[in-house]
C-alpha cells in the first residue's frame, strides 16, 4: 500500500529543513574560519524559499482534505500540529540565517546549546542541539563522511539479506518444480491403476460369463445321459449285437 502523498510531501519538507539547518551550520563555520560564505548564502536563501512554498502546499492540501471529509478530525488536528511545528522551525531558521556572527572565537558549544541565547545576539540553531560525543569536534564534512560510512555498512547488511532472500527464493522454486514433477508421476500412476482396474473388471466379467456357460453345458450333458438312446454309443451297440454271433460260430465248429 503506497504512502499518503501529503505525508510524502511532509517528509520531503522535513528533510529540506534539516538540510537547511546543516547548511546554516556550515555557513557559520566558514564565517568563523574566515571563509567566503557567499555561495552557501545563496543556497540557503533558495532553500528557505522552497521550504516556505512546501509548507504552504501542505496547508492547502490539508485544507482540501478536511473540506472533502477524507480525514478524521483527529488526523486533521495531528497534521495541523505538524504544519505548526514546521512553521516554527522555518522562523527559527530564518532568524538563525540573519544572525550576526562577528565574534572572533565563538565556541561550538554555544551553537550546540540547549536553547539559551548566546552572546553577541546570536540565535542558537534549534536543529543542532545536544550534539553527541561521536560528532563533537568534527567538521560538517567529517560528520557527513561518518554518516556515509554508516549508510555503507547498512547497505552491505541489506545486500547480504537480499542475497539470503534470493537463495531462499531459488530453493522455493526448486521445491515447487520438484512437487510438480512428483504430482505428474502420481497422476501417471493413478491413470495406470485406473486402466488396470478396468481390465481386471472386464476379465472378471468374462470369467463369470464362461463359468455361467460351462454350468449350462454340464446341465445339458447330464440330461442327455439320463435320456439313454440319444446318448448311446453306436459302436458299443454294435459290439453287443455281434458278440452272440461269434459265440454261436465257435460252438458250431466244435460240434462238427
Amino acid at each position: 500500500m503506497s504512502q499518503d502523498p501529503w505525508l510524502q510531501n511532509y517528509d520531503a519538507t522535513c528533510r529540506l529543513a534539516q538540510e537547511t539547518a546543516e547548511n546554516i551550520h556550515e555557513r557559520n563555520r566558514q564565517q568563523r574560519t574566515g571563509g567566503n560564505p557567499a555561495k552557501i548564502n545563496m543556497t540557503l536563501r533558495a532553500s528557505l524559499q522552497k521550504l516556505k512554498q512546501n509548507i504552504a502546499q501542505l496547508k492547502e492540501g490539508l485544507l482540501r482534505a478536511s473540506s472533502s471529509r477524507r480525514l478524521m478530525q483527529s488526523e486533521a488536528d495531528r497534521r495541523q500540529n505538524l504544519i505548526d511545528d514546521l512553521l516554527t522551525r522555518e522562523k527559527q531558521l530564518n532568524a538563525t540565517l540573519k544572525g550576526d556572527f562577528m565574534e572572533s572565537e565563538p565556541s561550538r558549544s554555544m551553537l550546540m546549546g540547549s536553547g539559551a541565547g548566546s552572546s553577541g545576539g546570536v540565535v542558537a540553531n534549534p536543529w543542532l542541539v545536544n550534539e553527541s560525543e561521536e560528532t563533537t569536534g568534527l567538521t560538517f564534512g567529517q560528520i557527513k563522511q561518518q554518516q556515509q560510512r554508516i549508510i555503507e555498512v547498512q547497505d552491505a547488511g541489506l545486500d547480504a539479506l537480499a542475497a539470503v532472500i534470493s537463495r531462499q527464493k531459488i530453493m522455493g522454486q526448486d521445491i515447487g518444480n520438484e512437487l510438480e514433477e512428483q504430482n505428474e508421476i502420481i497422476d501417471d500412476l493413478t491413470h495406470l491403476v485406473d486402466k488396470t482396474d478396468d481390465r481386471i473388471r472386464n476379465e472378471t466379467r468374462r470369467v463369470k460369463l464362461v463359468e455361467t456357460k460351462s454350468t449350462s453345458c454340464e446341465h445339458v450333458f447330464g440330461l442327455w445321459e439320463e435320456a439313454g438312446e440319444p446318448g448311446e454309443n453306436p459302436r458299443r451297440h454294435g459290439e453287443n449285437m455281434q458278440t452272440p454271433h461269434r459265440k454261436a460260430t465257435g460252438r458250431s465248429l466244435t460240434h462238427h
Side-chain angles (χ1 to χ4, degrees):
M1 183 177 179
S2 60
Q3 189 179 10
D4 190 325
W6 191 94
L7 295 176
Q8 291 179 348
N9 294 336
Y10 171 77
D11 291 340
T13 303
C14 288
R15 287 193 297 270
L16 177 60
Q18 178 64 28
E19 292 173 0
T20 303
E22 292 174 353
N23 288 334
I24 290 175
H25 172 59
E26 178 65 16
R27 193 282 307 263
N28 294 343
R29 189 188 65 80
Q30 291 181 7
Q31 285 183 339
R32 292 195 304 271
T33 58
N36 184 8
K39 184 177 180 180
I40 196 169
N41 279 335
M42 293 178 60
T43 302
L44 286 171
R45 293 189 186 96
S47 297
L48 287 172
Q49 183 64 27
K50 179 64 175 176
L51 179 61
K52 183 177 181 181
Q53 293 175 356
N54 287 0
I55 294 174
Q57 291 176 359
L58 289 173
K59 292 173 67 175
E60 292 176 2
L62 179 59
L63 181 60
R64 287 195 301 269
S66 299
S67 300
S68 60
R69 298 184 182 277
R70 288 181 297 175
L71 290 176
M72 296 179 62
Q73 186 61 41
S74 58
E75 177 63 16
D77 293 341
R78 186 182 73 87
R79 294 189 180 187
Q80 183 61 52
N81 292 334
L82 295 176
I83 292 176
D84 293 340
D85 290 341
L86 283 175
L87 287 171
T88 300
R89 292 171 182 176
E90 181 203 4
K91 292 178 181 179
Q92 292 173 338
L93 289 172
N94 276 295
T96 304
L97 179 64
K98 295 176 182 179
D100 186 15
F101 287 82
M102 298 302 293
E103 293 180 278
S104 58
E105 291 293 336
S107 64
R108 184 182 179 96
S109 61
M110 291 171 60
L111 181 63
M112 311 303 291
S114 59
S118 57
S119 61
V122 178
V123 179
N125 191 336
W127 288 81
L128 298 172
V129 295
N130 298 328
E131 185 178 12
S132 64
E133 295 181 358
E134 296 178 354
T135 59
T136 302
L138 299 178
T139 63
F140 176 74
Q142 291 172 335
I143 294 174
K144 188 173 182 179
Q145 290 178 358
Q146 186 184 56
Q147 292 176 345
Q148 185 63 33
R149 287 193 297 269
I150 294 173
I151 292 173
E152 290 175 355
V153 172
Q154 292 176 345
D155 289 341
L158 290 175
D159 290 340
L161 179 60
V164 173
I165 293 174
S166 179
R167 288 196 297 270
Q168 295 292 334
K169 180 180 179 181
I170 293 173
M171 290 176 61
Q173 291 175 346
D174 292 341
I175 292 173
N177 293 334
E178 182 67 22
L179 288 176
E180 289 181 359
E181 293 178 0
Q182 295 296 329
N183 287 334
E184 290 177 359
I185 294 173
I186 292 173
D187 291 339
D188 293 340
L189 289 175
T190 302
H191 179 66
L192 290 174
V193 169
D194 292 339
K195 288 181 64 177
T196 303
D197 191 43
D198 291 339
R199 292 178 60 184
I200 291 174
R201 284 197 294 267
N202 291 334
E203 294 299 328
T204 301
R205 284 195 296 269
R206 290 177 183 176
V207 169
K208 289 182 179 180
L209 181 60
V210 170
E211 289 179 351
T212 302
K213 290 182 178 180
S214 177
T215 302
S216 299
C217 290
E218 290 178 357
H219 181 67
V220 170
F221 284 134
L223 293 176
W224 192 7
E225 290 178 355
E226 290 177 0
E229 291 182 358
E232 188 175 2
N233 192 335
R235 293 180 62 186
R236 184 179 298 176
H237 180 70
E239 290 175 357
N240 293 336
M241 294 299 292
Q242 292 176 4
T243 300
H245 176 71
R246 288 176 182 175
K247 290 180 180 182
T249 303
R251 286 195 301 268
S252 62
L253 291 174
T254 304
H255 179 72
H256 289 290

